[in-house]
Amino acid sequence: QVQLVESGGGLVQPGGSLRLSCTATSLPYYVIGWFRQVPGQGREGVSVVVTSDDSTYYADSVKGRFTISRDNAKNTVYLQMNKLLPEDAAVYYCATDPRLRYASFDPTEYHLWGPGTQVTVSS
């Protein structure tokens, strides 16, 4: 089955930008999601791309600031994060599931996860 690994996390000041990458060992399934989690809190959906038609979806909290995209030749999905806020700080994960054919922000519907990459937003 496909394996995912995230990269691109780091420390950035509020208002700054980061681009996260999610690279797969093979072509991903139809749906790729970005999630984030703060210790002690649940994992929340951030953005989803449906690769079959390249449709994209965003949580209200990141609309207008984050952009999800993909490069099929590199088996990679990106999350461009602009105008970062302190509340964006979290471990960011990408995920997929072979059964998904629609966009979902429910982490329980995803069963293939990367190990995560840390995003810290602090002045």
Side-chain angles (χ1 to χ4, degrees):
Q1 62 184 15
V2 66
Q3 292 180 294
L4 308 174
V5 61
E6 305 91 343
S7 63
L11 190 152
V12 65
Q13 293 185 336
S17 298
L18 286 172
R19 188 179 74 164
L20 305 183
S21 299
C22 173
T23 300
T25 55
S26 60
L27 290 174
Y29 297 107
Y30 287 99
V31 180
I32 306 292
W34 282 100
F35 294 78
R36 64 188 183 188
Q37 187 169 26
V38 176
Q41 300 182 12
R43 192 166 295 185
E44 65 173 345
V46 176
S47 185
V48 177
V49 59
V50 180
T51 60
S52 58
D53 61 6
D54 212 23
S55 58
T56 58
Y57 305 86
Y58 300 91
D60 288 342
S61 59
V62 307
K63 284 181 179 177
R65 300 189 297 120
F66 290 11
T67 303
I68 191 170
S69 62
R70 61 190 179 98
D71 185 336
N72 290 339
K74 298 180 179 179
N75 289 340
T76 299
V77 175
Y78 302 98
L79 185 68
Q80 178 67 45
M81 307 187 296
N82 298 325
K83 300 178 180 179
L84 283 161
L85 302 169
E87 50 262 46
D88 294 319
V91 176
Y92 282 71
Y93 302 88
C94 62
T96 190
D97 193 282
R99 298 170 297 178
L100 284 173
R101 296 293 184 273
Y102 57 90
S104 174
F105 284 83
D106 183 356
T108 67
E109 294 191 311
Y110 294 78
H111 295 91
L112 298 173
W113 295 83
T117 185
Q118 177 71 53
V119 172
T120 302
V121 185
S122 176
S123 59

